[in-house]
Amino acid sequence: MTALPHQLELDGDINRSRFVTLAYSRILQLEKSATDNRELIHARILGYLIIHGPSDDARKTVAKEVNSCAGDKTKLGNLGRFYVDHYIRGFKRYKGRTPTPSSHPSRSFDMAKDAVSSEMTEPPTSYQAAKRKALRRDNFRCVVTGAVDVASASRDPALRQTGLPLRTTQCAHIFPQSTNTNISGDGSSKRDYAASMWAVMTRFGYGDLPRKLNGNNVHSLENILTLEGGTIHEHFDTLQLWFERTGLSAPSTVQFTTPDPEEFPLPSPTYLHIHAAYAKVAKLSGAGDYIDNLSRDLEEIRVLSKDGSSAELLEHALLPLSSEIQVF
């Protein structure tokens, strides 16, 4: 968790926007008044959304929402909590549970959420065809380490002769496949949560995403890439690994290639950019570690404290179960 910079510096005209700088000053006051880590996280996620939000629409939306709270610490804290639940958790894969949908102060947000919810459909749980296509596009290798997929090498002698390490690879989703799973029923909390996550994307300027990634489209090649199983895939899913566009050539550079852009399209630069923004906000605000620690403590604890100190864990424990995620 990193303290917010005292001076807001953004690229372009938005850096001179008075209502954005006003919002940021209010966030700094909220950060200064925080009495515990949870309050710090709620303040810093708002600040880092303005600094590292995926678009100017995202920055302006958050700034407008912050200013609408008029300095009210409770309202600002609730807004920060909302973005922990529906921004970070929307991307961060963690075990077992779906956050209870928290409220957003805007009526227009509820309207956007309802519109998205009416169109949402569940994706199929099996996507072996997509994985096969991704493997072919990615030359049967992990795009990060270059390790050759061991199952493919067992069928192709040429892959075994590359001299590269053989590893189990998996099909990794940029936008999680679990978002729209188990959403059956108009009143289900899982459906309400997923609709809130997509409504955030709509308000951030990505109104076409709910349609583009609806149902089976979440398994489109634009939303998947081949990663080595274990640490690499886990780090990508938990927002510890991300990709940013660069014009530099360096040992840490990953170059995405395809034998046929039409039949085997590359991972979407837009999706990867949004994922990277989520990852940076999660890391710098402390929200990522906060979610991990809650989940870890819940797995280890056997008895909740009677003095109220386990309130956060109890809230987490009462959340509805999310879908099990299949890995291929």
Side-chain angles (χ1 to χ4, degrees), residues 255-326:
Q255 185 173 7
F256 296 100
T257 61
T258 177
D260 186 334
E262 293 188 6
E263 186 175 0
F264 303 102
L266 292 171
S268 166
T270 298
Y271 299 171
L272 290 172
H273 169 72
I274 296 171
H275 179 274
Y278 273 68
K280 285 183 279 190
V281 172
K283 180 179 179 62
L284 292 168
S285 69
D289 288 340
Y290 169 75
I291 294 169
D292 288 339
N293 290 337
L294 270 183
S295 298
R296 189 180 304 112
D297 290 347
L298 186 59
E299 289 179 355
E300 296 175 354
I301 199 167
R302 292 293 178 265
V303 180
L304 296 177
S305 173
K306 294 181 180 180
D307 62 7
S309 59
S310 301
E312 288 183 68
L313 285 179
L314 179 59
E315 177 183 336
H316 197 66
L318 294 175
L319 301 178
L321 291 175
S322 69
S323 60
E324 292 296 324
I325 299 176
Q326 291 185 305

Side-chain angles (χ1 to χ4, degrees), residues 61-97:
T61 294
V62 174
K64 182 178 179 180
E65 292 167 347
V66 167
N67 287 332
S68 72
C69 295
D72 186 302
K73 183 176 179 179
T74 299
K75 290 181 180 179
L76 286 168
N78 287 339
L79 182 63
R81 179 194 168 191
F82 174 86
Y83 279 112
V84 171
D85 286 347
H86 299 284
Y87 186 78
I88 301 304
R89 292 193 200 225
F91 250 104
K92 188 176 180 66
R93 180 179 137 189
Y94 63 105
K95 295 181 180 179
R97 303 182 186 275

Side-chain angles (χ1 to χ4, degrees), residues 63 124 181 196 208 315:
T181 55
S196 293
D208 58 343
E315 177 183 336

Side-chain angles (χ1 to χ4, degrees), residues 11-322:
D11 294 330
D13 293 339
I14 193 171
N15 193 49
R16 295 186 292 273
S17 170
R18 295 183 65 180
F19 84 95
V20 172
T21 55
L22 173 61
Y24 192 74
S25 68
R26 285 172 162 166
I27 294 168
L28 289 178
Q29 292 172 11
L30 182 68
E31 180 188 42
K32 187 176 181 180
S33 68
T35 59
D36 56 36
N37 278 345
R38 192 179 190 186
E39 290 184 359
L40 273 177
I41 289 168
H42 291 166
R44 287 173 180 171
I45 193 171
L46 297 174
Y48 282 115
L49 274 169
I50 289 179
I51 296 171
H52 293 297
S55 64
D56 280 351
D57 282 346
R59 297 181 178 97
K60 292 175 182 177
T61 294
V62 174
K64 182 178 179 180
E65 292 167 347
V66 167
N67 287 332
S68 72
C69 295
D72 186 302
K73 183 176 179 179
T74 299
K75 290 181 180 179
L76 286 168
N78 287 339
L79 182 63
R81 179 194 168 191
F82 174 86
Y83 279 112
V84 171
D85 286 347
H86 299 284
Y87 186 78
I88 301 304
R89 292 193 200 225
F91 250 104
K92 188 176 180 66
R93 180 179 137 189
Y94 63 105
K95 295 181 180 179
R97 303 182 186 275
T98 300
T100 300
S102 51
S103 60
H104 189 282
S106 169
R107 178 174 176 79
S108 62
F109 179 88
D110 291 335
M111 294 173 64
K113 183 178 74 173
D114 291 343
V116 170
S117 180
S118 66
E119 301 295 330
M120 284 166 35
T121 58
E122 291 195 32
T125 57
S126 177
Y127 50 95
Q128 289 287 358
K131 182 188 177 180
R132 287 193 294 270
K133 281 193 169 184
L135 274 170
R136 185 172 175 187
R137 179 196 65 194
D138 298 334
N139 201 20
F140 304 96
R141 291 164 170 78
C142 168
V143 299
V144 174
T145 67
V148 174
D149 177 64
V150 65
S152 300
S154 69
R155 298 186 294 268
D156 186 344
L159 291 175
R160 296 196 297 272
Q161 295 169 6
T162 62
L164 296 169
L166 304 181
R167 299 287 187 271
T168 298
T169 68
Q170 295 170 344
C171 183
H173 289 72
I174 304 171
F175 277 84
Q177 67 182 92
S178 60
T179 302
N180 279 16
T181 55
N182 287 356
I183 59 171
S184 298
D186 291 338
S188 74
S189 60
K190 182 63 165 64
R191 187 180 194 89
D192 189 54
Y193 172 76
S196 293
M197 180 265 189
W198 291 122
V200 169
M201 287 290 93
T202 297
R203 287 167 63 85
F204 281 7
Y206 301 100
D208 58 343
L209 284 186
R211 174 185 56 81
K212 284 187 174 181
L213 294 170
N214 198 23
N216 191 49
N217 291 339
V218 77
H219 302 316
S220 67
L221 287 179
E222 291 90 341
N223 192 47
I224 59 177
L225 57 159
T226 304
L227 292 179
E228 190 175 318
T231 301
I232 300 296
H233 189 182
E234 180 182 351
H235 281 188
F236 184 76
D237 279 351
T238 56
L239 303 179
Q240 299 175 69
L241 168 69
W242 63 90
F243 301 95
E244 294 187 80
R245 185 190 294 271
T246 177
L248 303 176
S249 179
S252 59
T253 299
V254 172
Q255 185 173 7
F256 296 100
T257 61
T258 177
D260 186 334
E262 293 188 6
E263 186 175 0
F264 303 102
L266 292 171
S268 166
T270 298
Y271 299 171
L272 290 172
H273 169 72
I274 296 171
H275 179 274
Y278 273 68
K280 285 183 279 190
V281 172
K283 180 179 179 62
L284 292 168
S285 69
D289 288 340
Y290 169 75
I291 294 169
D292 288 339
N293 290 337
L294 270 183
S295 298
R296 189 180 304 112
D297 290 347
L298 186 59
E299 289 179 355
E300 296 175 354
I301 199 167
R302 292 293 178 265
V303 180
L304 296 177
S305 173
K306 294 181 180 180
D307 62 7
S309 59
S310 301
E312 288 183 68
L313 285 179
L314 179 59
E315 177 183 336
H316 197 66
L318 294 175
L319 301 178
L321 291 175
S322 69

